[in-house]
Amino acid sequence: MAYEVAVYYDEIGLKGKNRPFFEKTLCRNISSILGSIDKVKVRPTFGRIILQAESELKWPAVKEMLSCVFGIAHFGRIKRCPADLEAIVNTALSSAPKQEETTFAVKATRVDKNFPHRSIDICRSVGSAIGKSLSWKVNLSDPQNVCSIVVFSKEALVGWERVPGPGGLPLGVSGSVVCLISGGIDSPVAAWRIMRRGALPVFAHFHSYPFTEKSSQETAKRLVRLLLKGQPARPLYLIPLGEIQQRI
């Protein structure tokens, strides 16, 4: 595999017994969206979703799309290593960004509480190694780089990237709604906000062609394309209203 990505959500984690439904919907949306870009395996695991991709060259396009997927809080590429403190330290060092005179922090989570080292001990060991090898300065309040470590029973995930997503709920977990797209700013903002709550949109634009130019239709199409960036395809209906307006 060329690279792996850890996708994190926040609000979905509060859904109790319905959580698998929200996770499954988010996984399905991610698979649908990335299918045209790269061959990606998507699987949920312990409060996060792991993506395994085949092509390193397509990461910029995948990154751009994932940053628009509703339900994603943040994501980033990761590296695997054995659940061993020395291996974790070495992986953190080898995958660190190529920067000088920067600040950093280390955040560690033990999914397997039987791991012999506490989370704070992992942070101290990794932080000490980074400070000595790279001469970076620790900044726990506002670091420029954050090393995230998740330790399972047999392996650990180490990552330095944290790309923000739009948050909210995955598209499709709520009911369907009709979103009127007028061509101004109010309607697409309203559509985006309701889509972020998981509602499936059906877009509708009322136009006056042939009594007016087609510019409003083109604007509506452009707005819908922007709204659906990173989302599954949804329909747009262009509804002629000119004749009715003329009669009125």
Side-chain angles (χ1 to χ4, degrees), residues 66-167:
L66 285 179
S67 64
C68 300
V69 177
F70 293 121
I72 294 179
H74 59 89
F75 63 94
R77 284 181 294 183
I78 57 171
K79 284 193 174 182
R80 293 177 183 269
C81 67
D84 172 78
L85 186 58
E86 184 178 355
I88 293 171
V89 171
N90 292 335
T91 303
L93 285 172
S94 64
S95 60
K98 306 302 180 183
Q99 298 179 8
E100 296 181 0
E101 297 183 0
T102 187
T103 60
F104 78 101
V106 181
K107 296 183 179 179
T109 302
R110 293 182 305 160
V111 175
D112 181 10
K113 301 302 182 183
N114 292 321
F115 187 69
H117 304 281
R118 299 177 302 166
S119 297
I120 187 65
D121 297 328
I122 299 172
C123 292
R124 286 171 178 165
S125 298
V126 173
S128 176
I130 292 171
K132 291 178 181 177
S133 300
L134 304 179
S135 299
W136 290 2
K137 294 181 179 179
V138 175
N139 186 335
L140 301 181
S141 58
D142 187 25
Q144 293 174 292
N145 297 282
V146 177
C147 180
S148 298
I149 301 167
V150 182
V151 182
F152 298 96
S153 58
K154 296 182 179 180
E155 64 180 6
L157 306 180
V158 180
W160 283 94
E161 288 183 314
R162 185 184 175 94
V163 184

Side-chain angles (χ1 to χ4, degrees), residues 21 23-33 42 171-172 232:
F21 165 69
E23 283 185 341
K24 184 178 179 180
T25 303
L26 181 55
C27 289
R28 184 175 65 244
N29 290 350
I30 291 174
S31 297
S32 172
I33 294 154
V42 181
L171 203 70

Side-chain angles (χ1 to χ4, degrees), residues 205-210 212-213 216-217 238-242 245:
H205 172 69
F206 292 87
H207 64 86
S208 299
Y209 184 81
T212 61
E213 296 181 353
S216 70
Q217 297 180 58
L238 301 173
I239 304 167
L241 197 63
Q245 287 178 312

